[in-house]
Amino acid sequence: MLHDDEATIQRVIGSIKPLDEQAMASARARQERLTKPSGSLGRLEELSIQLAAIRRQTVPDLAQKAIITMAGDHGVVAQGVSAYPQEVTAQMVQNFLLGGAAINVLARHVGARVVVVDMGIAATLDDHPALISRKVAPGTRDMTMGPAMSRREALRSIAAGIEVVEEEVDSGLDIVGTGDMGIGNTTPSSAICAVITKKPVEHVTGRGTGLDDAMLHWKVEIIEKAISVTRPDPDGPLDVLAKVGGFEIGALAGVMLGAAAHHVPVVIDGFVSGAAALVATGLCPVLKHYLIASHLSVEPGHQAMLEWIGLKPLLDLDMRLGEGTGAALGMFLAEAAAKLLVEMATFDEAHVTDRKLES
Amino acid sequence: MLHDDEATIQRVIGSIKPLDEQAMASARARQERLTKPSGSLGRLEELSIQLAAIRRQTVPDLAQKAIITMAGDHGVVAQGVSAYPQEVTAQMVQNFLLGGAAINVLARHVGARVVVVDMGIAATLDDHPALISRKVAPGTRDMTMGPAMSRREALRSIAAGIEVVEEEVDSGLDIVGTGDMGIGNTTPSSAICAVITKKPVEHVTGRGTGLDDAMLHWKVEIIEKAISVTRPDPDGPLDVLAKVGGFEIGALAGVMLGAAAHHVPVVIDGFVSGAAALVATGLCPVLKHYLIASHLSVEPGHQAMLEWIGLKPLLDLDMRLGEGTGAALGMFLAEAAAKLLVEMATFDEAHVTDRKLES
């Protein structure tokens, strides 16, 4: 018999369907009738068609928006891979709850709610009405000593992400953005990237919150050691997540899967969300069509992740903060694309000549 | 004695000052205290500092926003350089007034008002409370036969742009975006680009609303002919505007100058706004610091324009519609940048540790 979490994950993966061809065709036909030269809105046209196909609506309504920010700590920080101390994870989560972090500002700017989840912070946080606790453990184990988590913990983290997003779907959700907080979490993200895309660790490892050259070199060594100690199976996304991942990364993979199962488009943030997307699309390849890559992170492995999955980022603004900040900006563009499809007049409605001159 | 319009333009150019170093330094110092790793918001940090320096405020407020869309017709369309007939200029202006065009949708999405100005449409439009008429003439003359407009008309178009933006400043304006409508207006824009940046016409001429290969080839020939007939002075921006420009292009140059004189940042749209920016920064080089390049157009000359001025676009979404659509998206990013600077908590306020670990 399957473990409950495994059953949840399999149920969700089984219900993720290919995109709706009919809604896609209707949206594409409508784009051709809108008062503009065909194709002149560029990627916003493609995006609107993708959104229609995901939502199964010719004119998708994206009024209800949420950024889900998953937080967790990482045993590997004991090896000195981050420029900030571990206590900052919990402190920043408090900042999210008080509305003072970058993600709060950007989520307000785009009209999205922020959902903050403790997936495994290495501290006990006070109860707060806006904090969801799904703590798997107070931080992962140090992956240079052995797997960061057990297979069961990996399943739990994904299932928790599914549970969180399904609760949001119940309260009304048209589009979701992913975000992360976790001191040290570019280290597992680079490890996941190196294992799955089979690129050298040094090509996919960056400065995170601000490492100098010596610390960057050390971070690469630590990641190489973790991979050689735990030997994750490149073709087993769950194995990779368990051995060199993180609780917030598993939870974000769960959010992506759960959202897609409910026809909710997912705007993915930067490097850590990208690691989650590698795991999630590894578990369910068709998920890719439900994902929108918001921006290209400064982290050098991000490009490799997006290419592996087959996504093209909308923005390239040299950002590397996480939290869901890039996703919030991408969500704005998604809503812009949807509104153009919904609200623009057609040539007929506006009495504008669509006759092109003969050449 | 100076002609009135010339006096207006000189008054405005004389009042455009370098950016406020003190506001810039304060904004930069505040960015360093916000709860995020230094630099992690990438180009949004630089943008917030530029906005503070333009607005002379450490924490700039960009609540009052407008897109000014300048419309005009072009005698050169008689040569068959556009895929659409000239009547579409007036029809699209009606569409703007009814709120059904792409710029209306995006302006609503970002909370900006749309200001529509008839600078020289080749038709008589019915009065409409939202339509500003500054018609210089019902379309420019065919520039393959001689100058598109007289020097006096060129001055009038720039001064009209200044008048329009100064009226908006009087009703409250914190940031402005530029937009254009004019069938055939990528032709004068390419001509301006070729003359000022001294690039070959064929390198800076594109398909506009959708030319095929044969029409594109013809468009290049027509632009080369116009330049050889009118012989604009590459170092005389006013001469270039008069000989191969357009009324809406001159007006947009005026908007840029007038806004900068009142410390209002200008988000410039794509290719046609880029041509106006070439003229305006030619008249007043310091203006460049007040400009924000929203996006990179598909038109091949746009990159050359932005490089000439020294601007880097925020977005690259394969757009080529004009109207101010790119500017509206860029305005959203500018407001995001400003809000981050204003609303984010500092490390002290949020009790977050800013101590980086020693390497």
Side-chain angles (χ1 to χ4, degrees), chain A residues 174-196:
Chain A
D174 299 318
I175 186 168
V176 69
T178 65
D180 69 283
M181 180 68 224
I183 292 300
N185 69 4
T186 59
T187 293
S189 299
S190 288
I192 290 170
C193 181
V195 171
I196 292 182

Side-chain angles (χ1 to χ4, degrees), chain A residues 3 70 92 192 223:
Chain A
H3 182 276
M70 296 290 186
M92 282 301 297
I192 290 170
I223 294 169

Side-chain angles (χ1 to χ4, degrees), chain A residues 83-153:
Chain A
Y84 283 82
Q86 189 172 60
E87 69 206 48
V88 169
T89 303
Q91 291 170 346
M92 282 301 297
V93 166
Q94 296 291 357
N95 197 15
F96 297 161
L97 298 173
L98 293 169
I103 186 53
N104 302 104
V105 176
L106 293 181
R108 284 194 295 269
H109 188 39
V110 304
R113 59 188 189 268
V114 180
V115 178
V116 184
V117 185
D118 175 2
M119 285 302 306
I121 301 171
T124 303
L125 281 80
D126 293 337
D127 284 345
H128 187 288
L131 177 65
I132 298 172
S133 178
R134 299 276 170 178
K135 200 192 288 274
V136 180
T140 55
R141 288 183 288 281
D142 181 349
M143 65 186 187
T144 63
M145 313 285 197
M149 58 181 112
S150 66
R151 184 169 181 280
R152 188 163 278 214
E153 287 173 323

Side-chain angles (χ1 to χ4, degrees), chain A residues 35 38 40 42-43 83 87 91 95 100 108-109 212 215 315 317 320 332 339 343 345 353 356-357 359, chain B residues 35 38 40 43 83 87 91 95 100 108-109 212 215 315 317-318 320 332 339 343 345 353 356-357 359:
Chain A
T35 44
S38 174
S40 61
R43 295 191 61 199
E87 69 206 48
Q91 291 170 346
N95 197 15
R108 284 194 295 269
H109 188 39
D212 62 22
M215 286 178 81
L315 294 157
L317 294 170
R320 54 178 170 83
F332 161 84
K339 284 183 172 176
E343 297 177 21
T353 308
K356 285 199 179 178
L357 298 169
S359 94
Chain B
T35 44
S38 174
S40 62
R43 295 191 62 198
E87 69 205 50
Q91 291 170 347
N95 197 15
R108 284 195 295 268
H109 188 38
D212 62 22
M215 287 179 81
L315 294 157
L317 294 171
D318 298 336
R320 53 178 170 83
F332 162 83
K339 285 183 173 176
E343 297 178 20
T353 308
K356 283 198 183 181
L357 297 170
S359 95

Side-chain angles (χ1 to χ4, degrees), chain A residues 145-175:
Chain A
M145 313 285 197
M149 58 181 112
S150 66
R151 184 169 181 280
R152 188 163 278 214
E153 287 173 323
L155 290 167
R156 178 85 286 270
S157 69
I158 298 173
I162 291 171
E163 290 160 11
V164 167
V165 78
E166 289 195 328
E167 281 165 24
E168 295 303 317
V169 168
D170 285 345
S171 27
L173 187 67
D174 299 318
I175 186 168

Side-chain angles (χ1 to χ4, degrees), chain A residues 39-83:
Chain A
S40 61
L41 284 168
R43 295 191 61 199
L44 296 182
E45 295 190 20
E46 302 163 25
L47 185 52
S48 75
I49 292 164
Q50 182 190 4
L51 289 164
I54 295 171
R55 297 297 288 151
R56 274 79 173 150
Q57 297 165 340
T58 304
V59 288
D61 176 4
L62 303 182
Q64 302 196 79
K65 299 179 281 290
I67 305 283
I68 301 181
T69 302
M70 296 290 186
D73 274 312
H74 299 269
V76 72
V77 298
Q79 301 296 331
V81 290
S82 176

Side-chain angles (χ1 to χ4, degrees), chain B residues 192-328:
Chain B
I192 290 171
C193 180
V195 171
I196 293 183
T197 71
K198 302 177 181 72
K199 303 245 182 213
V201 171
E202 64 184 329
H203 291 188
V204 298
T205 302
R207 295 173 192 277
T209 48
L211 299 183
D212 62 22
D213 287 349
M215 287 179 81
L216 175 59
H217 186 75
W218 176 243
K219 181 176 172 182
V220 169
E221 276 187 37
I222 289 296
I223 294 169
E224 286 171 342
K225 183 175 175 191
I227 293 170
S228 102
V229 166
T230 62
R231 304 208 155 276
D233 170 11
D235 300 318
L238 192 70
D239 193 60
V240 179
L241 173 65
K243 287 176 173 164
V244 297
F247 298 132
E248 79 277 44
I249 296 172
L252 289 173
V255 166
M256 294 173 197
L257 294 166
H262 293 275
H263 314 318
V264 172
V266 184
V267 186
I268 60 174
D269 196 37
F271 191 55
V272 179
S273 288
L278 281 180
V279 171
T281 55
L283 292 169
C284 176
V286 73
L287 169 66
K288 156 188 163 177
H289 304 292
Y290 291 80
L291 303 182
I292 296 159
S294 60
H295 83 116
L296 183 66
S297 166
V298 171
E299 281 291 308
H302 196 213
Q303 178 86 49
M305 288 173 170
L306 295 178
E307 281 173 8
W308 180 266
I309 301 169
L311 298 173
K312 190 176 166 196
L314 291 164
L315 294 157
D316 183 1
L317 294 171
D318 298 336
M319 290 166 67
R320 53 178 170 83
L321 178 54
E323 300 181 3
T325 48

